[in-house]
Amino acid sequence: MLGVRDLLDRLDDADDLARIDERTHWADTAFAVSAEAARANGPAVLLTDAGGHARLLAGGLGGPDRLAVRSRDPWSRLGAALGLGFDAGYLDVLDALVAARHGGPVPAVEPAAATETVSDLRSLGLPAVSDTGVPAVTLGLGAHSKTADDGGDADSERASDAVDTDAVEWFPVRGSVRGSNGLRLSVPADLAADVAPGTTVSFALGTPPAALVGAIMRWVGETQVAGAPAIANAFGSVPVASTAAGAVPAESEVLVDATITGRADGDDAGRAPETRREPWEDAMATATVEARAERVTVRENPVVPFSPTGAPMADGRALLSVIESARLYGRVNNYWGVAPVEWLALPAETGLGICLVASEILYAGFEWQLANTLFSFSRLFDKIVVLDTETRPMDLARAFDDIWVKAHPANDWEFSDSAAPAASAPYYRQDGATGANVYVNAAWDPRWDEEFIAPRVTFETMYPEALREAVRADWADMGFDHGDEHEPRGQRGDATDGGDE
């Protein structure tokens, strides 16, 4: 399975990585550079001189938006990170994530790759992703074992050949570094209830991407899934190493052995981490815990991926977009005993506040049942758009075109009453107040005869071949022909016969 360094090699091979060797200090420059790269749909960025021990990687799991035809899909880097390849289609990625929920083989046990002890957390040079200038923990993974001997010797634990992965919980972590070795962390609320002051936990940065995916999948939505180590191992071998708090991914770039020192309620703004929230926090209840790092170990010249949280198309948002889309896609296609949904997406471009679902309409009124089912399965969004199955997941502009082409505001826009639960992703619903949900039926009515449904008009069907060839020749002469890799992609990554005009 790919570790962070393997992912760097894949990004390099795909010409999708920009290395910046100039000084980009963690306190004031690293976030600005990475946020601009994400906003401008640029490549992943590796900052080799950020003023600390760590090299910083931004955009390794993110991607470009779908508002224009590009040579990379928003899920390309995640697909590569999970061993599916840069050319994996959207449905290939969704299907792999759905299958991984059942878990894979028992992970192998290996020594931890991080063996070099550093003085303190602040010396890592973790980037500040807020105006406070406080070092931030993003894309972090925590490990806690209920069977671990709290306060045990970490060296003896790491030397053990027996690691009980069934007894360990991996969980997503976001937080801030306080002083030299203090941590203030946002974690899942259910997990926080199990880590009383004095409990030993471990935190890992720069884990294999499959491990981070497994940790988020384990806590987002329903919990009828395999444990996070098993989910990660479903994508390929993700060896684990023993720590005082249980098993952690062996190839992690940074390992932190820590002791919990206190806890605050998740809605206590005065005690929350001084960093911007990550999207996974909107999908679950969270709590704040405080910890003290007892030991920090790193690999030689470590690479720490981070998310420029709050920036458009940031890694954290892109990651949750695909994970939650896969969860809902798998659930609704098993709900009625049939699989009517062709694809489903919570586009990162819309801040996860809209759910697009391309589905066969089994009967009149099915779109109403589909929308209400999806609203009951997720707390993130308050808008659903039902599309025809011919709409491609990469063609976000066409999906929104169908709203006004096929949906009549008087007949096909359905609003709930104003007491619907508050969605957690939209920025305008952050006050927790109730409001209305809406779904838009942008699919053709299944009761219509075929002759009444407007055909999809394409460049290939509108004009004779001679004219099409002349247009292609002129297009190339003007320098607009950039090769087959820039052609629109089909749903599973195959090039289409031609883009719609």
Side-chain angles (χ1 to χ4, degrees), residues 184-244:
R184 181 171 287 174
L185 303 170
S186 178
V187 300
D190 290 343
L191 183 282
D194 294 332
V195 288
T199 303
T200 300
V201 294
S202 291
F203 303 106
L205 300 175
T207 64
L212 182 60
V213 168
I216 296 175
M217 288 178 66
R218 174 66 181 83
W219 291 93
V220 171
E222 75 286 348
T223 58
Q224 290 78 22
V225 296
I231 294 174
N233 229 43
F235 296 103
S237 177
V238 180
V240 298
S242 181
T243 70

Side-chain angles (χ1 to χ4, degrees), residues 4-5 8 19 21 45-50 52-58 124-126 253 300-306:
V4 172
R5 301 183 185 218
L8 282 179
R19 295 177 182 270
D21 296 324
V45 176
L46 179 65
L47 308 176
T48 62
D49 184 5
H53 289 288
R55 294 176 291 165
L56 304 179
L57 173 64
L124 293 175
L126 299 179
E253 298 286 318
E300 183 180 358
N301 203 14
V303 180
V304 175
F306 77 99

Side-chain angles (χ1 to χ4, degrees), residues 417-498:
D417 59 43
S418 59
S424 55
Y427 293 112
Y428 48 81
R429 297 286 289 274
Q430 292 301 306
D431 59 356
T434 59
N437 292 335
V438 60
Y439 83 85
V440 178
N441 179 18
W444 297 122
D445 193 317
R447 295 168 296 185
W448 286 10
D449 292 333
E450 191 73 23
E451 62 191 76
F452 293 109
I453 297 178
R456 183 76 78 183
V457 178
T458 67
F459 178 67
E460 283 70 27
T461 59
M462 270 189 81
Y463 304 103
E465 177 60 27
L467 181 56
R468 296 202 303 269
E469 286 301 320
V471 170
R472 291 190 182 102
D474 290 343
W475 192 259
D477 289 342
M478 289 186 287
F480 296 135
D481 186 0
H482 300 297
D484 293 340
E485 70 273 15
H486 290 271
E487 289 296 318
R489 291 189 175 277
Q491 292 179 3
R492 290 193 177 269
D494 300 327
T496 61
D497 291 334

